[in-house]
Amino acid sequence: MGERTEQVITLSLPSSMQHVYLLKAVVTEILKETDFDEDTQERINLAAIEAGTNAIEELGDREDPGKPIIFRLTLTGGELTISTVDESEESTHKESETEQVITLSLPSSMRHVYLLDVVVTEILKDSDFAEEIQEQINLAAIEAGTNAIKHGNKEDPSKKAIMQFLLDEDKFTIIIEDEGEGFTRKEVADPLDPENLLKSSGRGLFLMEACMDAVTYEADGTIIKMVKYKEAAVAQ
């Protein structure tokens, strides 16, 4: 009998009922990898929503967006376990300018990159960004996540890729961090140079920089920060 591999995904949400739907969206996608029938998947989703709601209510009568609720989703074989995690056990990796931060931590496996699309799509659903701009942001997020898992962490199961999403009044920011050795942006080949047309390296970075208004590389390239401004989105 083969070894059962464990895939752990964590989702940190602000303590606000408006974000509980994100837990359902992520759980729905993860369940597609299991053998549960449709009725069972729906019951699991309802249980996840109930768990998220209860976690918020436990903070008191007043919602506290400054205190995140962290959910650990463990996929072992065809089994999914959902549990809440104390903030002291697993906190967000980086302080932010806003309290409304959503954090997704993925194991270094390409099978989970699609969850980035799910989270970004749900966050931007009711935003002011046009559909075309939302697609650009999604593409940039997927490219950055792919780079973090595939090139940064080299799909090492012992390493994680951590993504933060910050939706402010004037912009949407994505911060993606890996546990790799890093890289120097200027040393990556320009994919538009004729001599590099048949090379794959650099294309992901080029797409990210083309889709977003600002892309910066920090901590020797292990942290990528991408920003899309709403004014720029409206002007396009």
Side-chain angles (χ1 to χ4, degrees), residues 4 8 11 20 24 27 52 82 85 90 95 127 130 157 217-218:
R4 303 174 74 194
V8 179
L11 179 67
V20 174
K24 181 179 185 296
V27 170
I82 304 174
V85 182
E90 188 162 347
E95 293 184 0
S127 72
Y217 305 88
E218 305 172 7

Side-chain angles (χ1 to χ4, degrees), residues 3-235:
E3 182 180 354
R4 303 174 74 194
T5 59
E6 182 179 86
Q7 300 280 309
V8 179
I9 297 165
T10 58
L11 179 67
S12 174
L13 301 175
S15 302
S16 170
M17 289 302 297
Q18 72 180 94
H19 297 294
V20 174
Y21 69 92
L22 266 170
L23 176 62
K24 181 179 185 296
V26 171
V27 170
T28 296
E29 289 301 315
I30 293 176
L31 286 174
K32 292 179 180 179
E33 300 181 32
T34 69
D35 296 325
F36 293 120
D37 59 42
E38 188 174 333
D39 288 341
T40 302
Q41 291 187 34
E42 183 60 30
R43 288 198 296 272
I44 294 173
N45 262 315
L46 290 173
I49 292 295
E50 186 69 19
T53 301
N54 289 340
I56 291 173
E57 291 177 345
E58 285 178 4
L59 294 178
D61 295 332
R62 182 174 60 85
E63 295 177 358
D64 181 7
K67 182 178 177 60
I69 299 176
I70 305 173
F71 297 92
R72 178 178 291 154
L73 313 174
T74 305
L75 187 63
T76 306
E79 299 177 2
L80 175 65
T81 303
I82 304 174
S83 59
T84 54
V85 182
D86 186 88
E87 186 180 2
S88 62
E89 291 183 47
E90 188 162 347
S91 60
T92 54
H93 73 290
K94 189 179 178 68
E95 293 184 0
S96 63
E97 301 171 352
T98 176
E99 294 179 336
Q100 296 293 311
V101 182
I102 293 166
T103 304
L104 177 69
S105 174
L106 298 178
S108 294
S109 170
M110 291 300 295
R111 67 188 286 198
H112 298 302
V113 171
Y114 69 92
L115 286 173
L116 274 168
D117 175 68
V118 172
V119 171
V120 172
T121 297
E122 290 295 323
I123 293 174
L124 296 180
K125 184 177 292 184
D126 297 321
S127 72
D128 297 327
F129 289 109
E131 184 176 345
E132 179 183 357
I133 301 302
Q134 292 186 36
E135 291 175 356
Q136 292 176 4
I137 296 173
N138 255 313
L139 177 58
I142 291 171
E143 288 293 340
T146 297
N147 283 344
I149 291 173
K150 188 174 182 180
H151 302 298
N153 291 343
K154 301 187 185 304
E155 298 188 64
D156 182 341
S158 67
K159 296 180 178 180
K160 297 184 297 183
I162 302 177
M163 300 83 175
Q164 280 192 330
F165 308 92
L166 299 76
L167 183 60
D168 295 308
E169 291 185 3
D170 62 334
K171 66 182 183 294
F172 182 52
T173 304
I174 301 174
I175 302 172
I176 297 186
E177 179 177 2
D178 64 57
E179 298 182 87
E181 298 178 356
F183 70 99
T184 302
R185 175 65 183 95
K186 64 181 181 181
E187 294 179 358
V188 178
D190 181 357
L192 298 183
D193 191 312
E195 66 180 22
N196 297 324
L197 291 180
L198 298 180
K199 297 179 180 179
S200 60
S201 62
R203 294 188 183 278
L205 300 183
F206 173 78
L207 284 172
M208 289 156 45
E209 293 165 354
C211 291
M212 303 297 280
D213 294 321
V215 179
T216 56
Y217 305 88
E218 305 172 7
D220 297 322
T222 60
I223 297 177
I224 294 179
K225 181 177 180 180
M226 308 186 294
V227 181
K228 194 71 172 181
Y229 294 98
K230 291 186 178 179
E231 287 185 4
V234 172

